[in-house]
Amino acid sequence: MQVSHGTRSTVCSAEDQILGDWLSLEKNVVVNISKEGRAFKATVMWFTDKDIISRPMESRCDSHNPNPQLRKRKLLGMEILSGLNYNPSSGRWEDGLIYDPLSGRDWSSVVSLERDGILKVKGYWHFEFLSKSVSFKRIVFNRQKKDFR
């Protein structure tokens, strides 16, 4: 498989197809998916702060976290998805844990890459059919300008 990251092109294995920067289809968050050992994780790179303009994204904290000691950590740069492992028989990344900063809760997670290139991230509690999904498209993200295309 060949994946294009801006102007450079690399060949990667099936499991590494999800590496890179992704913008939600709602255009409200950008995450970077990286790999640590054999597990994949996602970090918040940008999110819209138009809901409360007086509180820019750089100042927002994890205020809903059930652990009071973590409530002051910044949302920007936070790892929100961890422990995903690629399952070659299903072609999905499974056994992950996704954190929802709006509720302060962790959910089980599974990720799939659809045929149209859309990344589908599913969070669920106990049963996968009782889930909420967020879909993403691959982008090129400029970290200095916090801008994407």
Side-chain angles (χ1 to χ4, degrees), residues 14-42:
E15 73 179 54
D16 290 343
Q17 293 179 72
I18 64 170
L19 295 174
D21 297 326
W22 298 86
L23 171 67
S24 69
L25 294 185
E26 292 83 20
K27 297 185 176 169
N28 61 357
V29 65
V30 172
V31 297
N32 174 266
I33 298 180
S34 60
K35 191 174 182 182
E36 192 171 281
R38 298 209 47 88
F40 293 83
K41 63 182 183 176

Side-chain angles (χ1 to χ4, degrees), residues 36-112:
E36 192 171 281
R38 298 209 47 88
F40 293 83
K41 63 182 183 176
T43 304
V44 176
M45 304 305 293
W46 173 91
F47 59 90
T48 185
D49 53 6
K50 292 184 171 90
D51 57 337
I52 306 173
I53 296 172
S54 65
R55 293 187 54 220
M57 76 176 122
E58 290 85 0
S59 69
R60 301 217 187 165
C61 295
D62 189 15
S63 58
H64 298 289
N65 196 301
N67 181 343
Q69 294 176 338
L70 297 178
R71 291 181 187 153
K72 292 195 186 239
R73 69 181 175 167
K74 301 285 185 190
L75 294 178
L76 198 59
M78 178 186 293
E79 185 177 299
I80 59 167
L81 182 61
S82 62
L84 281 172
N85 292 290
Y86 183 68
N87 180 343
S89 63
S90 67
R92 302 185 321 168
W93 295 260
E94 302 172 348
D95 304 321
L97 196 62
I98 191 165
Y99 176 71
D100 174 17
L102 296 176
S103 68
R105 296 197 56 192
D106 290 303
W107 305 91
S108 296
S109 184
V110 63
V111 173
S112 59

